[in-house]
Amino acid sequence: MKIVLATRNQGKIAELRRILDGIDVIGLEEFPDAPEVPETELTFAGNALLKARAIAAHTGLPAVADDSGLCVDAMNGMPGVFSARWSGGHGDDQGNLDLLLGQLSDVAPEHRGARFVCVAAIAWPSGEEETVEGRLDGVVIAVPRGTGGFGYDPIFVPEGDTRTTAEMAPEEKDAISHRGKAFAALADRIRTRP
Amino acid sequence: MKIVLATRNQGKIAELRRILDGIDVIGLEEFPDAPEVPETELTFAGNALLKARAIAAHTGLPAVADDSGLCVDAMNGMPGVFSARWSGGHGDDQGNLDLLLGQLSDVAPEHRGARFVCVAAIAWPSGEEETVEGRLDGVVIAVPRGTGGFGYDPIFVPEGDTRTTAEMAPEEKDAISHRGKAFAALADRIRTRP
């Protein structure tokens, strides 16, 4: 079986390939005419489904997509689906992180609970679709630490740990991360599909 | 009766004086040693009470304070209590407005519902305290209009109107605004206090 992952991000493709061992995972680079799908929905599941549907329709293959972000309790779950464009543009990791730290600067340590959330969706050419969610609970700290990962990793410390996810080895982060969990759950669904 | 309003903002003092006709409203400029109270709470009521309590304790007079902001549905009610420091610093109205517009740029018109919310609190020297809330429902538009008001007024259109609150005359805005309503409700409480 071939499955297309709705991303050009080689790191995500490699991660899904590891998790979906035995299934042929291909990326969007094999479909140069695939549409860019704006994330106009207000939920992770909504955005993941938008992308998975569009790519399944374009390629005729089962398509997997994900949407993920950091949900801060003190901000009613924001940045959430706005995580990658928090500072107003798209993909400015440093700007997004600096902005969130500035906004939270008056917020007491006991109110800094947060979670990384990822929803992975699969759309089958038949029109069927499914979503699964993975999450990682923790806190947002005030001073960034670590150089691994991306996005908000330097300011996120998972529950039960003292390191940020940017201070973990990639495999270690994969094993506990919201995206790792969501992709693993999705792999189960794909493998056990009747 | 004398009441102190926990602000140095002359516009707010003038507004409360108009609404509390017959009651002697004084501002913090008469108490140069009054403490600066950081807004560390996560609710409008919490922040308004923090300020009212601190100023009642400092002055020995009944103290009124308010906290207000813009709550956007698509952002789970944020900027909310972070409205005045949304872009990371304090009081950068233009930066806050530009940031919010950037964040909402992919959000469809039907998801741009929002409300201005104000909670006014009064703390009596006896230790009693009360809060009242005022709100103004509307939508956030994509292109700022008008030069009146402050903060997010140029991008907020109240329900049933086509103008932004920055395009209204001050008295007109006072009559419908979240702050106007909260202060009017507080005036009733003060006047009818046993």
Side-chain angles (χ1 to χ4, degrees):
Chain A
M1 180 167 48
K2 264 193 178 181
I3 283 187
V4 55
L5 180 61
T7 184
R8 293 186 169 81
N9 179 323
Q10 291 301 318
K12 277 196 197 179
I13 296 169
E15 185 179 350
L16 193 62
R17 274 196 185 122
R18 286 196 301 275
I19 295 173
L20 282 178
D21 191 33
I23 295 170
D24 189 7
V25 176
I26 57 182
L28 275 190
E29 71 281 2
E30 303 199 14
F31 302 93
D33 298 333
E36 280 297 323
V37 185
E39 304 186 329
T40 52
E41 293 292 318
L42 298 177
T43 62
F44 296 120
N47 283 327
L49 281 170
L50 269 188
K51 289 185 280 185
R53 260 177 225 149
I55 301 305
H58 180 79
T59 62
L61 293 172
V64 167
D66 77 300
D67 192 30
S68 58
L70 178 65
C71 300
V72 178
D73 292 344
M75 306 188 95
N76 294 351
M78 292 290 106
V81 296
F82 299 93
S83 290
R85 50 187 149 140
W86 194 233
S87 58
H90 277 265
D92 175 8
D93 275 14
Q94 191 63 46
N96 292 335
L97 185 155
D98 289 343
L99 172 59
L100 186 65
L101 285 184
Q103 289 168 324
L104 295 177
S105 57
D106 285 344
V107 174
E110 66 267 28
H111 291 137
R112 284 170 164 268
R115 64 204 43 77
F116 274 128
V117 176
C118 171
V119 173
I122 185 162
W124 302 92
S126 64
E128 289 170 89
E129 46 195 40
E130 285 187 279
T131 60
V132 290
E133 184 179 296
R135 48 168 66 200
L136 177 62
D137 290 318
V139 295
V140 172
I141 59 171
V143 181
R145 295 199 314 251
T147 54
F150 66 100
Y152 300 96
D153 280 325
I155 55 170
F156 184 82
V157 174
E159 248 176 43
D161 212 307
T162 56
R163 298 165 302 165
T164 67
T165 41
E167 293 178 303
M168 297 179 172
E171 319 75 57
E172 196 179 3
K173 184 189 156 196
D174 282 2
I176 62 166
S177 82
H178 52 308
R179 184 172 292 109
K181 287 176 197 161
F183 278 176
L186 197 70
D188 282 346
R189 302 286 183 97
I190 293 170
R191 287 218 181 79
T192 59
R193 191 163 187 262
Chain B
M1 178 166 53
K2 264 194 179 181
I3 284 186
V4 55
L5 179 63
T7 185
R8 291 185 170 82
N9 178 323
Q10 292 302 318
K12 277 196 197 179
I13 297 169
E15 185 177 352
L16 193 61
R17 271 193 189 126
R18 285 197 301 274
I19 295 173
L20 282 177
D21 190 34
I23 296 170
D24 189 5
V25 176
I26 57 182
L28 275 190
E29 72 281 1
E30 303 199 14
F31 303 93
D33 299 333
E36 279 297 323
V37 185
E39 302 186 331
T40 54
E41 293 292 319
L42 297 178
T43 61
F44 296 120
N47 283 326
L49 280 169
L50 269 188
K51 289 185 281 184
R53 263 177 221 148
I55 300 307
H58 179 79
T59 62
L61 292 173
V64 168
D66 77 300
D67 191 30
S68 58
L70 178 65
C71 300
V72 177
D73 292 342
M75 305 188 95
N76 294 351
M78 293 289 106
V81 295
F82 299 94
S83 291
R85 49 187 149 137
W86 195 233
S87 58
H90 277 266
D92 175 9
D93 275 13
Q94 191 64 46
N96 292 335
L97 184 155
D98 289 342
L99 172 59
L100 186 65
L101 284 185
Q103 290 168 323
L104 294 179
S105 58
D106 284 344
V107 174
E110 65 268 28
H111 292 137
R112 284 171 163 267
R115 64 205 43 77
F116 274 127
V117 177
C118 172
V119 173
I122 186 161
W124 301 93
S126 64
E128 288 169 271
E129 46 195 38
E130 285 186 280
T131 59
V132 289
E133 183 179 297
R135 48 167 65 198
L136 177 61
D137 290 318
V139 295
V140 172
I141 58 171
V143 180
R145 295 199 314 250
T147 55
F150 64 100
Y152 301 95
D153 280 325
I155 55 171
F156 185 83
V157 174
E159 249 176 42
D161 212 306
T162 55
R163 299 165 301 165
T164 68
T165 42
E167 295 177 302
M168 297 178 174
E171 319 76 57
E172 196 180 3
K173 183 188 156 195
D174 283 2
I176 62 165
S177 83
H178 52 309
R179 183 172 294 110
K181 288 175 196 161
F183 278 176
L186 196 71
D188 282 346
R189 302 287 182 97
I190 293 170
R191 288 217 181 80
T192 58
R193 193 164 187 262

